[in-house]
Amino acid sequence: MRLEGKGIGWRYGNGPWLFSDYDIAIQPGESVGLIGPSGSGKTSLGRLLAGYEKPLTGEVSVPGRSPNHTGYDPVQMIFQHPERAVNPRWSMARTLTEGWSPDAPLLDALGIKDDWLRRYPNELSGGELQRCCIARALGPNTKFLIADEMTTMLDAVTQAQIWHTVLEIASKRQIGLLVISHDHLLVNRICSRIIPFG
Amino acid sequence: MALLEVTQLSISFLQYTKGSRQQTVTVMENLDLAVNEGEIVAVVGASGSGKSLLAHAIMGILPANAVYSGSIRYGGELLDEHLLRQYRGNEIALVPQSVTYLNPLMRVGSQLQTKLDGKAQASERKGLFKRLGLGEHVNRLFPFQLSGGMARKVLVSTAAHSRSRLIIADEPTPGMHPADVAEALSHFKQLAEEGCAVLFITHDIEAAIQIANRVAVIYAGAVVEVAPASDFQGEGEQLRHPYSKALWQALPGNGFIPIAGSQPSKSMDLQGCLFADRCMSAVDSCMSKQPEPRQLRGGTVRCLHAT
């Protein structure tokens, strides 16, 4: 029941291979850190695992992913720049409920306030937007979560708060986490296993 | 005299609620801050506390529905639309927070080069690219081809040149590799040593205290504390405001301790201290009136209990 990439490779156009013949596996309920220099392909690897792209070589296997990628995907990804991950013309209420309807306790745990829902993305700060993106990704069918620099734009108090909430939900629902980050201290804190990348 | 002086800055947004009915939401109230020549002042604080708004207010790029009052002075002159037009992108430079500030249809190299740039700036930028570990080929890339960290470095190199006298750096380092962060920081430090004033907006407190002279802590649109950078150490005993302490103790390297609750949104019209509902030592007097800034141990603080 694990999320697995086998012999996967990726490059942009005719550029150099960012990674090739790469193997990675994440068990349900475990938290894995991925650390490497910028531009080494960490986000691209995340995108392949989350099913946004098909790897050029090798394959990604996910339990419960529909063959033609329709419906809610069991692998959800949270991006580094939330302002690029939401539709600027949608109100936050519409954005939040795109995949499922987050319940009040979750919104509360993530510190999302009711009056944000009427606003548009450009009326929220990066940190506020990111909380909404996290709520959007934590639907009941989420089995794996790829957090790409998820709290990089948040202050320390909010970062600690959000990670405590996400880790609690992940351990309760046995969600597997892939934490992509530059912050060694953070990854040491929250991950049981660390993969150096690039 | 301070090169940049922000006094009593308040910002509010005009929003449509239902149909043509409008409401005003205040997001920043009576903020005071000054930056001297050759000084780096770091602004740290809660996400959504108005750190970026401060930068946008100084640069005159607030959205159209924003209303602001108070004054922003640059070199003693009131920084109005006319003066901004003269200085912006020239003496006053902004390192924007997000990659979306790059033109998606222009190659990196051609949008970094402005009309004002001569040979000197071009070679300076070349040196900076090298220092930050960006290859020559990056000049020919479009923004969508940059990774998160690479984009940050490109943004840093937009403003960090010696022509600038005031640099407003809005979250310049997140997503960058530690070695590159150190390189970018030392570049800001170097510019400050040459007499440039830097307003360094960040939530990376560790980065802030490495290069800043003073650190201003913002919470819910107000500066709750201004402290010398050296006060951020140990368990945070030297810090004056309870929020600054909480921020320090929540770092992954310190305690990773979250505090409950969240920042109030200013539309709730709080009477008392903005931090009161999350504060361990709040008493009745904290709820009735917002504490005024006062001097304490070489810094300023807005808290009744700070000693």
Side-chain angles (χ1 to χ4, degrees):
Chain A
M1 287 309 280
R2 57 188 194 168
L3 165 60
E4 196 174 6
K6 247 196 185 148
I8 51 178
W10 184 255
R11 63 174 174 175
Y12 287 97
N14 288 320
W17 285 90
L18 287 169
F19 46 87
S20 58
D21 207 17
Y22 190 80
D23 295 327
I24 186 169
I26 300 158
Q27 306 290 342
E30 81 167 335
S31 171
V32 182
L34 190 74
I35 283 197
S38 48
S40 62
K42 301 187 296 296
T43 300
S44 303
L45 177 65
R47 288 175 60 88
L48 295 185
L49 294 175
Y52 286 98
E53 314 272 359
K54 211 172 136 31
L56 296 172
T57 64
E59 62 178 61
V60 173
S61 65
V62 182
R65 175 173 283 169
S66 71
N68 42 10
H69 289 238
T70 50
Y72 193 95
D73 198 276
V75 183
Q76 290 291 312
M77 184 160 176
I78 295 164
F79 290 90
Q80 181 176 359
H81 302 288
E83 65 279 0
R84 294 201 298 183
V86 297
N87 188 331
R89 290 174 183 275
W90 281 15
S91 73
M92 292 319 296
R94 193 170 166 200
T95 300
L96 263 175
T97 52
E98 188 183 1
W100 71 298
S101 296
D103 45 8
L106 179 70
L107 295 183
D108 218 37
L110 288 168
I112 296 169
K113 302 214 172 84
D114 277 344
D115 71 300
W116 298 359
L117 301 184
R118 288 193 306 273
R119 300 199 209 168
Y120 284 84
N122 69 343
E123 296 172 328
L124 291 178
S125 76
E128 290 166 347
L129 267 183
Q130 190 66 302
R131 294 165 194 243
C132 295
C133 289
I134 295 168
R136 179 172 68 166
L138 282 175
N141 296 327
T142 301
K143 299 282 179 280
F144 295 93
L145 193 68
I146 299 173
D148 183 9
E149 303 275 6
M150 180 173 85
T151 50
T152 308
M153 78 298 301
L154 300 175
D155 64 85
V157 171
T158 314
Q159 167 169 278
Q161 221 178 21
I162 284 183
W163 273 115
H164 281 273
T165 308
V166 169
L167 290 174
E168 193 186 313
I169 293 170
S171 80
K172 200 159 62 190
R173 294 205 223 145
Q174 287 296 295
I175 295 174
L177 285 174
L178 181 67
V179 181
I180 301 175
S181 177
H182 282 101
D183 190 342
H184 284 266
L185 294 170
L186 175 70
V187 170
N188 287 340
R189 227 355 129 172
I190 57 184
C191 295
S192 47
R193 182 154 72 87
I194 295 171
I195 307 173
F197 191 77
Chain B
M1 187 192 57
L3 182 68
L4 175 75
E5 206 172 3
V6 179
T7 34
Q8 298 285 301
L9 181 70
S10 301
I11 301 174
S12 44
F13 285 105
L14 207 57
Q15 285 177 341
Y16 283 100
T17 49
K18 207 172 186 185
S20 62
R21 223 174 300 161
Q22 289 184 319
Q23 66 168 9
T24 316
V25 182
T26 307
V27 287
M28 180 178 288
E29 226 165 16
N30 301 339
L31 182 134
D32 296 307
L33 194 69
V35 191
N36 298 309
E37 275 183 350
E39 187 187 37
I40 300 180
V41 174
V43 175
V44 302
S47 327
S49 61
K51 300 192 297 284
S52 294
L53 280 180
L54 172 65
H56 291 186
I58 295 167
M59 296 302 288
I61 51 170
L62 287 173
N65 63 337
V67 189
Y68 83 94
S69 64
S71 76
I72 299 170
R73 288 176 180 276
Y74 174 72
E77 292 175 288
L78 197 65
L79 199 55
D80 54 15
E81 193 62 28
H82 174 72
L83 215 58
L84 263 174
R85 212 156 274 192
Q86 191 181 330
Y87 289 139
R88 194 165 43 197
N90 187 7
E91 281 187 19
I92 306 179
L94 173 75
V95 180
Q97 179 182 24
S98 146
V99 190
T100 51
Y101 286 75
L102 290 170
N103 184 336
L105 299 179
M106 265 172 101
R107 289 180 200 277
V108 166
S110 44
Q111 62 182 311
L112 288 186
Q113 193 82 18
T114 71
K115 276 185 289 190
L116 297 159
D117 286 348
K119 271 214 177 90
Q121 274 81 21
S123 73
E124 198 182 343
R125 182 156 296 133
K126 214 167 159 184
L128 191 56
F129 261 49
K130 211 169 183 175
R131 271 181 78 173
L132 294 173
L134 284 173
E136 281 279 313
H137 71 283
V138 174
N139 277 316
R140 293 189 301 277
L141 297 180
F142 286 100
F144 79 92
Q145 294 169 304
L146 303 172
S147 79
M150 282 157 84
R152 292 280 174 204
K153 296 181 195 172
V154 168
L155 293 173
V156 166
S157 68
T158 58
H161 42 65
S162 54
R163 187 176 59 209
S164 314
R165 283 184 66 208
L166 171 65
I167 295 176
I168 317 279
D170 191 3
E171 304 272 14
T173 54
M176 269 159 75
H177 203 62
D180 300 327
V181 171
E183 199 55 59
L185 293 183
S186 79
H187 188 75
F188 282 121
K189 186 92 195 160
Q190 191 185 331
L191 289 168
E193 274 158 12
E194 288 160 12
C196 183
V198 181
L199 187 68
F200 182 57
I201 298 172
T202 183
H203 56 255
D204 186 349
I205 302 171
E206 274 130 350
I209 57 179
Q210 275 177 44
I211 61 161
N213 306 83
R214 292 184 296 141
V215 178
V217 181
I218 292 200
Y219 185 76
V223 174
V224 292
E225 171 168 358
V226 181
S230 55
D231 285 358
F232 286 83
Q233 54 161 313
E235 301 277 304
E237 311 87 350
Q238 299 287 315
L239 295 169
R240 294 153 191 81
H241 198 279
Y243 179 67
S244 317
K245 289 181 189 168
L247 205 53
W248 181 244
Q249 284 159 3
L251 290 177
N254 289 355
F256 208 47
I257 309 162
I259 51 170
S262 59
Q263 185 174 231
S265 57
K266 286 301 294 277
S267 51
M268 293 195 300
D269 281 327
L270 282 178
Q271 291 290 317
C273 173
L274 298 167
F275 189 64
D277 62 332
R278 302 172 80 182
C279 184
M280 301 296 260
S281 48
V283 294
D284 284 351
S285 54
C286 295
M287 307 292 180
S288 55
K289 195 171 161 283
Q290 200 181 336
E292 287 303 310
R294 61 184 168 101
Q295 300 289 327
L296 185 71
R297 288 187 282 117
T300 28
V301 65
R302 290 182 85 156
C303 175
L304 296 172
H305 305 289
T307 46

Short mmCIF file of all heavy atoms in Angstrom, two decimals, chain A residues 155-165, chain B residues 246-247 249-251 255-261 278 280:
data_model
loop_
_atom_site.label_atom_id
_atom_site.label_comp_id
_atom_site.label_asym_id
_atom_site.label_seq_id
_atom_site.Cartn_x
_atom_site.Cartn_y
_atom_site.Cartn_z
N ASP A 155 5.64 32.17 9.65
CA ASP A 155 6.43 32.48 10.83
C ASP A 155 6.56 31.24 11.71
O ASP A 155 5.82 30.27 11.55
CB ASP A 155 5.76 33.62 11.62
CG ASP A 155 4.42 33.22 12.15
OD1 ASP A 155 4.35 32.63 13.22
OD2 ASP A 155 3.41 33.48 11.47
N ALA A 156 7.51 31.29 12.64
CA ALA A 156 7.87 30.11 13.42
C ALA A 156 6.69 29.58 14.24
O ALA A 156 6.47 28.36 14.31
CB ALA A 156 9.04 30.43 14.34
N VAL A 157 5.92 30.48 14.84
CA VAL A 157 4.80 30.03 15.67
C VAL A 157 3.78 29.30 14.81
O VAL A 157 3.33 28.19 15.14
CB VAL A 157 4.12 31.22 16.38
CG1 VAL A 157 2.85 30.79 17.07
CG2 VAL A 157 5.07 31.84 17.40
N THR A 158 3.44 29.89 13.66
CA THR A 158 2.47 29.27 12.77
C THR A 158 3.02 27.97 12.20
O THR A 158 2.29 26.99 12.07
CB THR A 158 2.14 30.24 11.61
OG1 THR A 158 1.91 31.52 12.16
CG2 THR A 158 0.90 29.79 10.88
N GLN A 159 4.31 27.97 11.88
CA GLN A 159 4.93 26.76 11.35
C GLN A 159 4.80 25.61 12.34
O GLN A 159 4.37 24.51 11.99
CB GLN A 159 6.41 27.03 11.06
CG GLN A 159 7.22 25.78 10.81
CD GLN A 159 8.61 26.09 10.27
OE1 GLN A 159 8.79 26.32 9.09
NE2 GLN A 159 9.58 26.09 11.14
N ALA A 160 5.14 25.88 13.61
CA ALA A 160 5.06 24.85 14.63
C ALA A 160 3.61 24.40 14.79
O ALA A 160 3.32 23.20 14.85
CB ALA A 160 5.61 25.38 15.95
N GLN A 161 2.70 25.38 14.80
CA GLN A 161 1.27 25.08 14.95
C GLN A 161 0.78 24.17 13.81
O GLN A 161 0.16 23.14 14.06
CB GLN A 161 0.52 26.40 14.87
CG GLN A 161 -0.59 26.57 15.83
CD GLN A 161 -1.20 27.97 15.67
OE1 GLN A 161 -1.06 28.63 14.63
NE2 GLN A 161 -1.87 28.41 16.70
N ILE A 162 1.08 24.56 12.58
CA ILE A 162 0.59 23.81 11.43
C ILE A 162 1.19 22.41 11.38
O ILE A 162 0.49 21.43 11.14
CB ILE A 162 0.87 24.59 10.13
CG1 ILE A 162 -0.13 25.74 10.01
CG2 ILE A 162 0.78 23.68 8.91
CD1 ILE A 162 -0.01 26.53 8.74
N TRP A 163 2.49 22.32 11.64
CA TRP A 163 3.10 21.00 11.61
C TRP A 163 2.54 20.09 12.69
O TRP A 163 2.33 18.90 12.47
CB TRP A 163 4.62 21.07 11.67
CG TRP A 163 5.22 21.23 10.32
CD1 TRP A 163 5.93 22.30 9.85
CD2 TRP A 163 5.15 20.29 9.22
NE1 TRP A 163 6.29 22.09 8.54
CE2 TRP A 163 5.83 20.87 8.12
CE3 TRP A 163 4.57 19.04 9.06
CZ2 TRP A 163 5.95 20.24 6.90
CZ3 TRP A 163 4.68 18.41 7.83
CH2 TRP A 163 5.36 19.00 6.77
N HIS A 164 2.29 20.65 13.89
CA HIS A 164 1.70 19.82 14.94
C HIS A 164 0.34 19.30 14.48
O HIS A 164 0.02 18.13 14.67
CB HIS A 164 1.59 20.60 16.25
CG HIS A 164 2.89 20.68 17.01
ND1 HIS A 164 3.29 19.71 17.90
CD2 HIS A 164 3.90 21.58 16.98
CE1 HIS A 164 4.48 20.03 18.39
NE2 HIS A 164 4.87 21.16 17.85
N THR A 165 -0.46 20.18 13.84
CA THR A 165 -1.78 19.75 13.35
C THR A 165 -1.65 18.70 12.26
O THR A 165 -2.29 17.65 12.31
CB THR A 165 -2.53 20.97 12.75
OG1 THR A 165 -2.54 22.01 13.71
CG2 THR A 165 -3.95 20.60 12.38
N ALA B 246 7.61 33.84 22.24
CA ALA B 246 6.92 32.70 21.65
C ALA B 246 7.51 32.38 20.28
O ALA B 246 7.72 31.22 19.92
CB ALA B 246 5.43 33.00 21.52
N LEU B 247 7.79 33.43 19.52
CA LEU B 247 8.35 33.27 18.17
C LEU B 247 9.71 32.58 18.25
O LEU B 247 10.01 31.67 17.48
CB LEU B 247 8.50 34.67 17.56
CG LEU B 247 8.51 34.83 16.05
CD1 LEU B 247 7.29 34.17 15.44
CD2 LEU B 247 8.54 36.32 15.70
N GLN B 249 10.85 30.70 20.70
CA GLN B 249 10.79 29.34 21.21
C GLN B 249 10.10 28.37 20.26
O GLN B 249 10.16 27.16 20.46
CB GLN B 249 10.09 29.33 22.58
CG GLN B 249 11.01 29.84 23.68
CD GLN B 249 10.25 30.32 24.89
OE1 GLN B 249 9.02 30.21 24.95
NE2 GLN B 249 10.97 30.86 25.86
N ALA B 250 9.47 28.90 19.21
CA ALA B 250 8.78 28.02 18.26
C ALA B 250 9.71 27.57 17.15
O ALA B 250 9.34 26.75 16.32
CB ALA B 250 7.57 28.74 17.66
N LEU B 251 10.93 28.09 17.11
CA LEU B 251 11.86 27.68 16.05
C LEU B 251 12.19 26.20 16.18
O LEU B 251 12.35 25.70 17.28
CB LEU B 251 13.15 28.51 16.15
CG LEU B 251 13.03 29.98 15.78
CD1 LEU B 251 14.37 30.67 16.00
CD2 LEU B 251 12.61 30.13 14.33
N GLY B 255 12.66 25.01 20.34
CA GLY B 255 11.77 24.16 21.11
C GLY B 255 10.66 23.58 20.26
O GLY B 255 10.06 22.58 20.57
N PHE B 256 10.39 24.24 19.12
CA PHE B 256 9.29 23.86 18.23
C PHE B 256 7.97 23.87 19.01
O PHE B 256 7.11 23.03 18.80
CB PHE B 256 9.56 22.49 17.62
CG PHE B 256 8.91 22.30 16.28
CD1 PHE B 256 9.00 23.27 15.29
CD2 PHE B 256 8.20 21.13 15.97
CE1 PHE B 256 8.42 23.08 14.05
CE2 PHE B 256 7.61 20.95 14.73
CZ PHE B 256 7.73 21.92 13.78
N ILE B 257 7.86 24.83 19.93
CA ILE B 257 6.66 24.89 20.78
C ILE B 257 5.66 25.87 20.18
O ILE B 257 5.93 27.07 20.09
CB ILE B 257 7.02 25.40 22.20
CG1 ILE B 257 8.20 24.59 22.75
CG2 ILE B 257 5.82 25.34 23.12
CD1 ILE B 257 8.91 25.25 23.92
N PRO B 258 4.49 25.38 19.73
CA PRO B 258 3.49 26.33 19.23
C PRO B 258 2.70 26.90 20.40
O PRO B 258 2.64 26.29 21.46
CB PRO B 258 2.58 25.44 18.39
CG PRO B 258 2.70 24.08 18.98
CD PRO B 258 4.03 23.99 19.69
N ILE B 259 2.15 28.09 20.21
CA ILE B 259 1.19 28.57 21.20
C ILE B 259 -0.19 28.51 20.55
O ILE B 259 -0.31 28.58 19.33
CB ILE B 259 1.49 30.00 21.68
CG1 ILE B 259 1.68 30.95 20.50
CG2 ILE B 259 2.71 30.03 22.57
CD1 ILE B 259 1.74 32.40 20.89
N ALA B 260 -1.22 28.34 21.36
CA ALA B 260 -2.57 28.17 20.84
C ALA B 260 -3.09 29.46 20.23
O ALA B 260 -2.54 30.54 20.46
CB ALA B 260 -3.48 27.68 21.95
N GLY B 261 -4.17 29.33 19.46
CA GLY B 261 -4.84 30.52 18.95
C GLY B 261 -4.20 31.05 17.68
O GLY B 261 -3.25 30.47 17.15
N ARG B 278 -3.81 35.43 23.63
CA ARG B 278 -2.89 34.29 23.57
C ARG B 278 -1.80 34.40 24.62
O ARG B 278 -0.89 33.59 24.67
CB ARG B 278 -2.24 34.23 22.19
CG ARG B 278 -3.22 34.11 21.05
CD ARG B 278 -2.53 34.26 19.73
NE ARG B 278 -1.87 33.02 19.31
CZ ARG B 278 -1.16 32.92 18.20
NH1 ARG B 278 -0.99 33.96 17.42
NH2 ARG B 278 -0.58 31.78 17.86
N MET B 280 0.08 34.47 28.25
CA MET B 280 -0.02 33.76 29.52
C MET B 280 -0.21 34.75 30.68
O MET B 280 -0.84 34.42 31.67
CB MET B 280 1.25 32.94 29.78
CG MET B 280 1.54 31.91 28.72
SD MET B 280 0.28 30.66 28.65
CE MET B 280 1.11 29.38 29.58
#
